[in-house]
Amino acid sequence: MALVRVISTHKPSLNPNTTTLSVSALNPNNLSFLSNSPPSLASLLHHRRHKRRTASLKCSASSFSEKHHNTNHPKSDDVVELPLFPLPLVLFPGAILPLQIFEFRYRIMMHTLLQTDLRFGVIYSDAVSGTAEVGCVGEIVKHERLVDERFFLICKGQERFRVTNVVRTKPYFVAEVTWLEDRPSGEEDLEALATEVETCMKDVIRLSNRLNEKPEKEAQDLRRNLFPTPFSFFVGNTFEGAPGEQQALLELEDTATRLKREKETLRNTLNYLSAASAVKDVFPSS
């Protein structure tokens, strides 16, 4: 399911100068990761939090990987403290994230988490874009403590959150967060939108396989009985290698808007692959 390139007409919110996005694979479980984080999280969030409105925020307690939503939602006005792990990637609800923890402060965090609720916030951060305000809870589902005090973790994305205040920065970041959930999409036909996005994904996979001289097998049931909202997160997670666009999708609070944006990105990608395929047919490699 390799995607050669994703071409987007949208400008990701974290990097307004980027319109061409690279993607390495259409694989929700194949995520690259690093454990270093920039030191500017507290100052950045302190500057931004005065500009936010959090009264309308809602919450979600489901992992979005199940067919039905969990009914035990946190309240929309809940403010909780959450340890944060800034990473140069975007975690989506329902996605699987492998992590190797070796930095001292995060080893301390892991010791604490393994004795409590196994949940921490993953938030996108890089040296160019800075640190985002919206992230996703990662829940530790498997862990292994290695002989040299490193940890190997398998985490699963849960609910989204917005940082409202940094509580402390040492030995690791802890912040107050509120929960984030998509608003109702009104009259939009979410099922039809999700079906269109799935069709685009299948076409992209087919052409990508052709360009890479792989068998052009029909992609089967990409939705896997997912509702439109969790499916939109699954699709966003496949845009690996384009974290700015992924962060923009994560921050959207409307499923229809997210699906439309993903459909446009996939169609642009499909146009690019179609052109590349036509060129390859005219000028085949020797």
Side-chain angles (χ1 to χ4, degrees):
M1 293 188 181
L3 285 180
V4 176
R5 212 177 197 186
V6 166
I7 308 298
S8 174
T9 59
H10 298 285
K11 294 182 179 181
S13 62
L14 294 180
N15 190 347
N17 297 320
T18 300
T19 56
T20 301
L21 305 175
S22 299
V23 171
S24 60
L26 189 62
N27 185 347
N29 298 328
N30 184 19
L31 298 173
S32 302
F33 55 89
L34 297 172
S35 66
N36 296 325
S37 59
S40 59
L41 178 64
S43 59
L44 177 65
L45 294 174
H46 177 77
H47 174 72
R48 289 182 178 178
R49 69 172 182 264
H50 298 291
K51 300 180 181 179
R52 285 193 300 262
R53 292 182 300 172
T54 58
S56 63
L57 296 182
K58 295 184 178 181
C59 60
S60 174
S62 78
S63 67
F64 295 109
S65 63
E66 304 297 334
K67 182 177 179 180
H68 298 285
H69 292 287
N70 193 316
T71 57
N72 299 319
H73 298 297
K75 295 181 180 179
S76 60
D77 58 352
D78 282 351
V79 177
V80 300
E81 289 188 5
L82 190 68
L84 298 182
F85 198 167
L87 290 169
L89 57 81
V90 178
L91 177 64
F92 283 89
I96 300 300
L97 174 65
L99 283 175
Q100 185 174 187
I101 308 298
F102 56 85
E103 192 173 344
F104 179 70
R105 55 178 165 170
Y106 295 118
R107 296 207 309 263
I108 295 176
M109 185 174 78
M110 288 304 117
H111 281 288
T112 302
L113 291 177
L114 293 176
Q115 297 176 21
T116 54
D117 64 355
L118 304 179
R119 292 157 60 87
F120 60 99
V122 174
I123 194 160
Y124 173 65
S125 183
D126 69 18
V128 176
S129 304
T131 304
E133 297 180 21
V134 173
C136 181
V137 171
E139 182 173 12
I140 301 171
V141 294
K142 291 183 180 180
H143 72 277
E144 180 181 358
R145 184 172 176 177
L146 306 178
V147 293
D148 56 358
E149 298 299 320
R150 289 180 295 120
F151 287 89
F152 180 75
L153 311 175
I154 300 294
C155 306
K156 186 174 184 178
Q158 301 292 344
E159 57 268 79
R160 292 176 296 160
F161 62 85
R162 185 184 299 274
V163 174
T164 58
N165 184 39
V166 174
V167 177
R168 68 174 186 267
T169 61
K170 295 181 180 181
Y172 49 83
F173 293 111
V174 176
E176 292 180 344
V177 306
T178 54
W179 306 115
L180 196 64
E181 186 180 62
D182 279 7
R183 298 183 295 264
S185 295
E187 301 299 321
E188 297 282 359
D189 189 341
L190 296 181
E191 285 294 331
L193 277 173
T195 299
E196 291 175 8
V197 170
E198 182 183 26
T199 299
C200 288
M201 290 181 70
K202 289 181 178 180
D203 290 340
V204 167
I205 293 168
R206 175 179 54 80
L207 273 180
S208 179
N209 285 340
R210 180 182 179 186
L211 281 169
N212 288 281
E213 298 182 348
K214 295 181 179 179
E216 294 186 37
K217 296 181 179 179
E218 181 70 22
Q220 301 293 327
D221 190 20
L222 297 176
R223 282 191 65 179
R224 299 174 299 173
N225 296 321
L226 292 174
F227 284 127
T229 298
F231 179 64
S232 71
F233 291 135
F234 165 79
V235 176
N237 192 57
T238 66
F239 294 173
E240 183 184 341
E245 178 68 8
Q246 288 183 312
Q247 181 64 32
L249 292 170
L250 185 74
E251 293 181 2
L252 290 174
E253 298 178 52
D254 179 81
T255 300
T257 302
R258 188 180 301 110
L259 287 169
K260 289 177 180 178
R261 180 164 180 156
E262 291 166 343
K263 181 175 71 172
E264 185 173 356
T265 296
L266 288 167
R267 282 182 172 175
N268 291 332
T269 304
L270 187 60
N271 291 337
Y272 168 82
L273 292 174
S274 297
S277 179
V279 170
K280 184 175 181 179
D281 290 341
V282 174
F283 303 102
S285 58
S286 58

